[in-house]
């Protein structure tokens, strides 16, 4: 694994890339995709299979020290650029771990294809495995999103679902409050809880 929101950083020489905020300034999803792919190629050449990035906190405080690693202050733009960046990384075989704060919503995209010879409706579901927290038990899979779509034979559609911070929180009986535990959240998707695929991760600092 390696740090990587703005290029591979593991102590070895790697491609020098512009700060991620420049991707947002381009409004170019393909550029963000290629940026992620470039990092993935560097990672694969060095035996790394997981990147800590991209980061997509909303850059709304000019005094914050790492806003150059994010995609600006607009939620839609930040989400679109981060998603394209992740597609570039994971399309090249390297896992991405998008990072954000505990009060950030998470956007999950699921592509569904009708492989049959008849039109039909399906309801893809998104599940999350929360990180362990002392004294708090969490389920192996917890439903956090679903949608329904009609597909013609051979048709594919990508559905986007938003997971709110409250859906990622757990009740802390010691503090008598809900909390989003720092750590890695693993998202999977499928048509039911016993048949899920994927393993996209999101890290809360």
């Amino acid at each position: 694994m390696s740090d990587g929101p703005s290029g591979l950083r593991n102590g070895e020489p790697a491609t020098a890339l512009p700060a991620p905020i420049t991707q947002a300034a381009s409004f170019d999803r393909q550029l963000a995709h290629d940026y992620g792919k470039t990092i993935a190629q560097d990672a694969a050449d060095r035996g790394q299979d997981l990147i800590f990035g991209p980061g997509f906190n909303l850059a709304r405080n000019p005094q914050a020290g790492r806003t150059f690693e994010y995609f600006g202050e607009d939620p839609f733009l930040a989400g679109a650029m981060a998603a394209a960046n992740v597609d570039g990384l994971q399309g090249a075989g390297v896992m991405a771990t998008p990072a954000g704060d505990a009060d950030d919503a998470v956007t999950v995209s699921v592509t569904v294809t009708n492989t049959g010879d008849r039109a039909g409706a399906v309801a893809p579901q998104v599940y999350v495995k929360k990180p362990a927290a002392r004294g708090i038990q969490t389920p192996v899979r917890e439903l956090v999103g679903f949608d329904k779509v009609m597909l013609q034979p051979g048709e594919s559609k990508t559905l986007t679902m938003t997971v709110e911070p409250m859906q990622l929180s757990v009740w802390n009986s010691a503090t008598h409050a809900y909390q989003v535990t720092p750590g890695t959240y693993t998202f999977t998707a499928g048509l039911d809880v016993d048949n899920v695929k994927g393993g996209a991760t999101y890290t809360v600092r």
Side-chain angles (χ1 to χ4, degrees), residues 165-191:
M166 189 62 186
Q167 295 173 274
L168 301 180
S169 66
V170 293
W171 177 257
N172 187 324
S173 57
T175 61
H176 300 285
Y178 284 97
Q179 68 177 45
V180 177
T181 305
T184 299
Y185 292 71
T186 301
F187 292 87
T188 52
L191 298 181

Side-chain angles (χ1 to χ4, degrees), residues 113-132:
T113 302
N114 183 351
T115 59
D117 55 8
R118 294 183 180 181
V122 292
Q125 301 157 24
V126 173
Y127 296 87
V128 67
K129 170 59 180 170
K130 299 172 182 176

Side-chain angles (χ1 to χ4, degrees), residues 87 108-113 147 149 151 156-161:
D87 284 345
V108 181
S109 295
V110 179
T111 300
V112 187
T113 302
D147 204 347
V149 62
L151 296 170
S156 294
K157 287 185 179 179
T158 298
L159 307 176
T160 300
M161 306 176 212

Side-chain angles (χ1 to χ4, degrees), residues 14 37 40 60 68-69 88 95:
K37 184 177 179 180
R60 290 183 171 173
F68 66 92
E69 289 189 342
M95 291 183 287

Side-chain angles (χ1 to χ4, degrees), residues 4 15 18 23 35 37 45-46 50 61-62 64-65 67-68 85 87 105 133 155 157 164 167 169 175 191 193-194:
T15 305
Q23 298 173 57
Y35 190 104
K37 184 177 179 180
D45 289 345
R46 290 157 182 77
L50 186 147
N61 184 348
T67 54
F68 66 92
N85 197 279
D87 284 345
E155 183 181 13
K157 287 185 179 179
E164 299 295 340
Q167 295 173 274
S169 66
T175 61
L191 298 181
V193 69
D194 294 319

